[in-house]
Amino acid sequence: MTDTLREGSLVGLGNPLLDISAVVPLDFLQKYAMKEDDAILAEERHMPIYRELIERFQAEFLAGGSVQNSLRIAQWIIGKPKVAVFFGCVGQDDYANILAEKACAAGLDVHYQVKCDTPTGTCAVLITGTHRSLCANLAAANKFTIDHLDIPRNQALIENGLYYYISGFFLTVTPPSIMRVAATAHARQRPFLMNLSAPFISQFYMAPLLAVMPYVDIIFGNEAEAKAFAEGQCWPADADLREIGKRLVALDKLNPKRPRIAILTQGCDPVLLVQHDSVQEFPVTRLAAHEIVDTNGAGDAFVGGFLSQFVQGKSLDVCIRCGNYAAGHIIKNPGCTYSGKPEFV
Ligand code: 26A
């Protein structure tokens, strides 16, 4: 089946980050005014976190960055190299080498923009039990510019794509690049998929998010992200996740022939698939506490599993089941990493 997949079918853009991950006590989160299961952009006061994680908590270094994670997972499941292409910006340093090496090992085709004067971005991952809190110092990732997409080779790769995936996180960096890719997808009638990514995106980047929403064919998000979007839209405070999903799919859409779909995850509770007025539930296998290594990357892995099937034209049912499989696997491994061969049938 995967033989029919051509190279470069799936195009993703995002922030390539090296995760610096450690198990920490709750008061460490409090020290930096962070919440469990949150994702934030680092401010000046967060800068000591990275060194502290390394020196006090024996942090591990893991390939991260939301979209790059999803594409690595999709590649792992697809098994055929270079079906997925990734664009993002890194520095010229060891961290960039680690990221490129992990991406390449997964079969992902990365085309980084490289900024020599800025270090590669990092993300502090603070693990507390089954929760994780993320604090990203985007550094070079924040320097991605649209002219990287103008390089003829990259332009050709974008035009060659059949499916496009970009995180809401990337709205903090370069809305014009996102609009460019969305417009390409639209002109070619190819699916454009996005992720709400984190509550702060809806809180602080609602305007560029709404600008791209008419292009979005599939929107992913978790419960907290969907609620933050609903709040940003002043939707009724008592709207439950189903209602929010219905309102998300009803937002303006440029291509009405392909109605928007919302896929909302809620941890170990069922995944909701919202289309038109219908909401379907897909159960999640609950892992035993001793099986959980960390939940970092679970949401990205869900999307990766979903994409691995979506690009093969599988039904949404199969895509979501594979998303659940991938998320379950990643939770049993440190960060967004996998072990062995995929076992999704
Ligand atoms: C703009 N921000 C805050 C971010 C991120 C991010 N990826 C892109 N942009 N903040 C955290 N991450 C990544 O999310 C993964 C877990 O879902 C982390 O690098 C981590 O690998």
Side-chain angles (χ1 to χ4, degrees), residues 15 17-19 39-41 63-67 69 123 125 132 134 136 138 167 169-170 172 200-201 296-300 336:
N15 301 320
L17 305 176
L18 191 72
D19 286 354
I40 59 167
L41 280 172
S66 179
V67 172
N69 284 342
C123 181
V125 181
R132 95 302 173 252
L134 310 169
L138 296 184
S167 60
F169 281 139
F170 210 45
T172 69
F200 87 83
I201 298 297
N296 180 26
D300 302 334
C336 196

Side-chain angles (χ1 to χ4, degrees), residues 219-222 226 241 244-245 248 262-266 270-272 274:
I219 184 81
F220 295 98
N222 67 24
L241 203 56
I244 294 172
L248 271 170
I263 298 174
L264 303 176
T265 59
Q266 31 184 0
V271 174
L272 303 184
V274 188

Side-chain angles (χ1 to χ4, degrees), residues 15 17 32-35 38-47 49-50 121-124 133-143 167-174 197-205:
N15 301 320
L17 305 176
Y32 286 102
M34 289 171 66
K35 294 186 298 230
D38 206 354
I40 59 167
L41 280 172
E43 296 163 25
E44 212 41 55
R45 62 182 167 152
H46 297 112
M47 290 308 170
I49 274 192
Y50 306 89
T122 49
C123 181
S133 195
L134 310 169
C135 180
N137 175 19
L138 296 184
N142 206 23
K143 302 219 161 161
S167 60
F169 281 139
F170 210 45
L171 288 167
T172 69
V173 176
T174 175
S197 291
F200 87 83
I201 298 297
S202 292
Q203 285 154 4
F204 303 115
Y205 296 87

Side-chain angles (χ1 to χ4, degrees), residues 230-286:
E231 225 165 274
Q233 288 296 298
C234 301
W235 290 346
D238 60 353
D240 64 2
L241 203 56
R242 294 169 160 260
E243 173 63 20
I244 294 172
K246 288 183 191 171
R247 286 174 177 256
L248 271 170
V249 303
L251 290 170
D252 271 359
K253 180 86 172 50
L254 259 184
N255 177 358
K257 282 193 229 135
R258 204 200 310 264
R260 185 179 301 108
I261 293 168
I263 298 174
L264 303 176
T265 59
Q266 31 184 0
C268 52
D269 290 330
V271 174
L272 303 184
L273 165 63
V274 188
Q275 315 182 74
H276 306 285
D277 243 4
S278 100
V279 183
Q280 273 174 274
E281 291 194 358
F282 294 80
V284 172
T285 308
R286 196 177 282 256

Side-chain angles (χ1 to χ4, degrees), residues 33-327:
M34 289 171 66
K35 294 186 298 230
E36 287 185 319
D37 284 325
D38 206 354
I40 59 167
L41 280 172
E43 296 163 25
E44 212 41 55
R45 62 182 167 152
H46 297 112
M47 290 308 170
I49 274 192
Y50 306 89
R51 179 177 289 273
E52 235 190 301
L53 283 178
I54 296 167
E55 291 176 355
R56 283 183 56 203
F57 299 103
Q58 293 84 46
E60 267 188 280
F61 290 79
L62 299 157
S66 179
V67 172
Q68 192 173 236
N69 284 342
S70 297
L71 297 191
R72 279 191 301 106
I73 299 305
Q75 274 296 160
W76 171 59
I77 296 174
I78 289 167
K80 174 181 169 174
K82 298 197 174 183
V83 170
V85 179
F86 176 76
F87 298 99
C89 187
V90 294
Q92 197 169 41
D93 49 27
D94 287 347
Y95 287 3
N97 295 339
I98 299 175
L99 288 181
E101 191 191 300
K102 298 285 180 201
C104 185
L108 182 58
D109 189 19
V110 293
H111 295 266
Y112 294 140
Q113 187 174 21
V114 181
K115 295 285 171 193
C116 305
D117 56 354
T118 313
T120 296
T122 49
C123 181
V125 181
L126 280 48
I127 312 282
T128 48
T130 59
H131 304 280
R132 95 302 173 252
S133 195
L134 310 169
C135 180
N137 175 19
L138 296 184
N142 206 23
K143 302 219 161 161
F144 187 94
T145 47
I146 194 165
D147 49 281
H148 190 59
L149 305 181
D150 293 330
I151 296 170
R153 181 200 54 181
N154 295 344
Q155 207 174 349
L157 285 167
I158 301 268
E159 284 174 12
N160 179 52
L162 300 174
Y163 304 87
Y164 300 88
Y165 176 60
I166 305 184
S167 60
F169 281 139
F170 210 45
L171 288 167
T172 69
V173 176
T174 175
S177 305
I178 301 178
M179 295 305 287
R180 163 88 64 87
V181 175
T184 304
H186 176 66
R188 293 169 181 252
Q189 302 205 26
R190 291 171 181 167
F192 183 77
L193 292 74
M194 264 196 101
N195 201 314
L196 294 174
S197 291
F200 87 83
I201 298 297
S202 292
Q203 285 154 4
F204 303 115
Y205 296 87
M206 186 58 104
L209 178 55
L210 285 182
V212 71
M213 196 56 92
Y215 293 90
V216 178
D217 295 299
I218 300 189
I219 184 81
F220 295 98
N222 67 24
E223 206 174 0
E225 293 153 10
K227 294 230 156 106
F229 187 89
E231 225 165 274
Q233 288 296 298
C234 301
W235 290 346
D238 60 353
D240 64 2
L241 203 56
R242 294 169 160 260
E243 173 63 20
I244 294 172
K246 288 183 191 171
R247 286 174 177 256
L248 271 170
V249 303
L251 290 170
D252 271 359
K253 180 86 172 50
L254 259 184
N255 177 358
K257 282 193 229 135
R258 204 200 310 264
R260 185 179 301 108
I261 293 168
I263 298 174
L264 303 176
T265 59
Q266 31 184 0
C268 52
D269 290 330
V271 174
L272 303 184
L273 165 63
V274 188
Q275 315 182 74
H276 306 285
D277 243 4
S278 100
V279 183
Q280 273 174 274
E281 291 194 358
F282 294 80
V284 172
T285 308
R286 196 177 282 256
L287 298 174
H290 72 269
E291 289 181 291
I292 301 177
V293 174
D294 74 58
T295 53
N296 180 26
D300 302 334
F302 174 83
V303 172
F306 181 97
L307 289 172
S308 73
Q309 306 304 303
F310 193 63
V311 300
Q312 297 182 64
K314 299 289 174 69
S315 69
L316 291 173
D317 180 286
V318 172
C319 298
I320 292 176
R321 279 198 300 106
C322 190
N324 284 337
Y325 160 75

